[in-house]
Amino acid sequence: MSVLRQRTAAPSSEVSLHSPAVSSKPEWLDSVIVGDCVAALERLPKASVDLIFADPPYNLQLGGDLTRPDQSKVDAVDDDWDRFDSFEAYDAFTRAWLLACRRVLKPTGTMWVIGSYHNIFRVGSIMQDLGFWVLNDIIWRKANPMPNFKGKRFTNAHETLIWASRDREAKGITFNYEAMKAFNDDLQMRSDWLLPICTGGERLKNAEGDKVHPTQKPEALLWRVLMSSSKPDDVVLDPFLGTGTSAAVAKRLGRHFVGVERDSTYADFARARIASVERAPDDGLAVVTPKRAEPRIPFGSLIEAGMIRPGDKLCDARRRHVATVRADGSIASGAIAGSIHKVGASVQGLEACNGWTYWHVESGGALVLIDELRGRIRGELAAAGA
Ligand SMILES: C[S@@+](CC[C@H](N)C(=O)[O-])C[C@H]1O[C@@H](n2cnc3c(N)ncnc32)[C@H](O)[C@@H]1O
């Protein structure tokens, strides 16, 4: 058996997913816009963003102060931005910002909306009325929820995220299935996510040591959202930016962002926070891709590339069966000749066999799976941008 000619290559299963760089950067890109999101989005070009994360007002409708059993005041969401006169007013507002989002979303783009029982059903229903197509709802189960102080209802321990495409026929949307599985120790990522609420050093505080914002979301939540449904260099829009959680994570993950926030104090904190974040290096942003998305490499390519030569021997991992490589990319074992798959199946008396994961070549006294050689070619193609 011949010694393989060594080829330098990237790991076989990791491919950078960069989309073409944004050539001349529009001024709204990677910026925080202060103002009403409906008006601000009207000034963005149509179909200009890849992903939207929206954390709209909840319309909590709190009647008076919420207190603990010791009568201390609970730091609940009672801000003006969360006040609406009626469900009708909330629905009209929801319809307006959803329509504005739909206009700027690319046909291949998707949108996430997070909410609680107070608003998420209304928002979801309006999304469907406007043509959005719900792909999943995710339950964010809070590891450390606020108790139900009055003891009159269940502890409200989760929020719901709706993930939707622009319409039912949407094609080419990003879902990094393999990456999420790898992230989750090789288990398929489920739709219930257990994550703590935003506390500790991540929570923005003002000079007096008070929370800057009542509903700052944890970065871990945005990490999953962006990792699962966007690619490096994608544009991520957040129409209700608050403290800039989505934009900070987008920047760290090498995505572009644009955020709209009507409160200038929140916007200032968001800008400072985003400026303090560093983009991860390119090689840290590559994700695992599905095998089917990788270019097809026939066995003959290994011969063309000089990795295996006609006359070389292939064998299985326990060296029970041996086959000779032929110049046309077929192999022969005794009287059986054909593809690596057909001969692999025949020598084992099986109906079918994946030859790539059955046959090995010898290199420096060790057996190397031919699938590994195929991976090297794929790595080189990816490095060349093919
Ligand atoms: C639920 S909070 C978002 C919190 C954010 N996800 C974070 O992690 O900090 C909603 C934000 O939307 C802002 N807001 C409300 N109405 C708005 C509007 N019409 N246009 C832009 N921002 C708005 C509020 O000021 C508030 O900061």
Side-chain angles (χ1 to χ4, degrees), residues 33-38 53-58 77 81-82 84 93 97 114 213-218 222 238-246 260-263 266 273:
I33 301 168
V34 179
D36 169 62
C37 62
V38 178
F53 174 81
D55 182 9
Y58 296 78
V77 183
W81 58 257
D82 202 47
F84 293 83
F93 163 74
W97 72 258
I114 183 168
H213 198 290
T215 68
Q216 182 181 337
K217 296 296 172 294
L222 271 298
D238 187 336
F240 303 101
L241 189 67
T243 56
T245 312
S246 60
V260 189
E261 171 55 54
R262 75 175 198 187
D263 181 310
Y266 293 156
R273 177 183 187 187

Side-chain angles (χ1 to χ4, degrees), residues 295-346:
R296 200 180 96 74
I297 309 288
F299 179 64
S301 298
L302 272 55
I303 303 170
E304 282 173 343
M307 291 173 146
I308 295 180
R309 288 190 301 210
D312 282 354
K313 304 292 182 201
L314 302 185
C315 66
D316 64 289
R318 288 158 67 185
R319 300 176 195 264
R320 287 169 308 176
H321 302 288
V322 177
T324 304
V325 175
R326 307 197 302 191
D328 65 353
S330 64
I331 61 172
S333 180
I336 310 160
S339 72
I340 51 170
H341 311 295
K342 182 181 161 195
V343 177
S346 289

Side-chain angles (χ1 to χ4, degrees), residues 186-219:
D186 284 339
L187 288 176
Q188 209 173 62
M189 182 69 86
R190 296 162 34 135
S191 61
D192 47 348
W193 300 352
L194 179 65
L195 296 168
I197 60 171
C198 180
T199 51
E202 195 182 315
R203 187 98 212 188
L204 296 195
K205 301 266 173 63
N206 61 20
E208 289 73 46
D210 298 325
K211 284 187 220 164
V212 165
H213 198 290
T215 68
Q216 182 181 337
K217 296 296 172 294
E219 292 197 5

Side-chain angles (χ1 to χ4, degrees), residues 14-16 18 279-287:
E14 297 200 341
V15 180
S16 169
H18 281 220
R279 183 192 199 276
D282 279 354
D283 57 356
L285 293 175
V287 298

Side-chain angles (χ1 to χ4, degrees), residues 72-378:
S72 60
K73 185 170 175 281
V74 175
D75 196 6
V77 183
D78 55 1
D79 307 64
D80 283 348
W81 58 257
D82 202 47
R83 288 186 203 283
F84 293 83
D85 290 340
S86 60
F87 282 141
E88 288 73 25
Y90 187 77
D91 291 353
F93 163 74
T94 301
R95 200 167 286 109
W97 72 258
L98 281 172
L99 274 172
C101 282
R102 198 153 187 271
R103 191 186 71 83
V104 297
L105 187 61
K106 291 181 185 172
T108 51
T110 58
M111 180 162 85
W112 292 78
V113 186
I114 183 168
S116 62
Y117 69 85
H118 309 87
N119 67 333
I120 200 67
F121 300 106
R122 309 192 80 80
V123 173
S125 155
I126 296 170
M127 284 174 76
Q128 289 182 321
D129 288 349
L130 296 180
F132 287 100
W133 189 253
V134 177
L135 301 167
N136 272 121
D137 66 329
I138 299 288
I139 297 300
W140 166 31
R141 185 152 80 85
K142 300 178 182 177
N144 46 351
M146 200 189 280
N148 183 272
F149 291 109
K150 290 188 177 152
K152 295 268 162 78
R153 295 193 202 174
F154 298 106
T155 300
N156 186 20
H158 75 275
E159 290 191 31
T160 302
L161 295 99
I162 295 175
W163 181 42
S165 58
R166 204 178 164 283
D167 48 54
R168 184 178 187 168
E169 285 75 36
K171 298 261 181 328
I173 63 174
T174 300
F175 178 54
N176 298 320
Y177 169 80
E178 264 75 14
M180 294 314 284
K181 195 170 165 186
F183 181 99
N184 196 34
D185 290 349
D186 284 339
L187 288 176
Q188 209 173 62
M189 182 69 86
R190 296 162 34 135
S191 61
D192 47 348
W193 300 352
L194 179 65
L195 296 168
I197 60 171
C198 180
T199 51
E202 195 182 315
R203 187 98 212 188
L204 296 195
K205 301 266 173 63
N206 61 20
E208 289 73 46
D210 298 325
K211 284 187 220 164
V212 165
H213 198 290
T215 68
Q216 182 181 337
K217 296 296 172 294
E219 292 197 5
L221 184 72
L222 271 298
W223 191 276
R224 278 195 199 184
V225 165
L226 266 62
M227 276 307 300
S228 61
S229 55
S230 70
K231 306 188 288 292
D233 290 335
D234 273 0
V235 178
V236 179
L237 162 72
D238 187 336
F240 303 101
L241 189 67
T243 56
T245 312
S246 60
V249 176
K251 184 176 173 191
R252 186 163 292 130
L253 290 176
R255 277 72 168 158
H256 293 282
F257 64 86
V258 52
V260 189
E261 171 55 54
R262 75 175 198 187
D263 181 310
S264 61
T265 306
Y266 293 156
D268 287 345
F269 273 100
R271 285 196 186 105
R273 177 183 187 187
I274 297 162
S276 72
V277 166
E278 285 202 19
R279 183 192 199 276
D282 279 354
D283 57 356
L285 293 175
V287 298
V288 181
T289 53
K291 280 262 186 278
R292 64 183 176 280
E294 294 175 344
R296 200 180 96 74
I297 309 288
F299 179 64
S301 298
L302 272 55
I303 303 170
E304 282 173 343
M307 291 173 146
I308 295 180
R309 288 190 301 210
D312 282 354
K313 304 292 182 201
L314 302 185
C315 66
D316 64 289
R318 288 158 67 185
R319 300 176 195 264
R320 287 169 308 176
H321 302 288
V322 177
T324 304
V325 175
R326 307 197 302 191
D328 65 353
S330 64
I331 61 172
S333 180
I336 310 160
S339 72
I340 51 170
H341 311 295
K342 182 181 161 195
V343 177
S346 289
V347 296
Q348 298 177 85
L350 298 174
E351 287 280 304
C353 161
N354 180 350
W356 289 109
T357 54
Y358 181 69
W359 295 110
H360 300 66
V361 282
E362 193 156 316
S363 170
L367 289 183
V368 177
L369 198 59
I370 58 172
D371 197 35
E372 198 184 313
L373 304 183
R374 175 169 69 159
R376 290 185 199 170
I377 295 183
R378 283 192 170 135

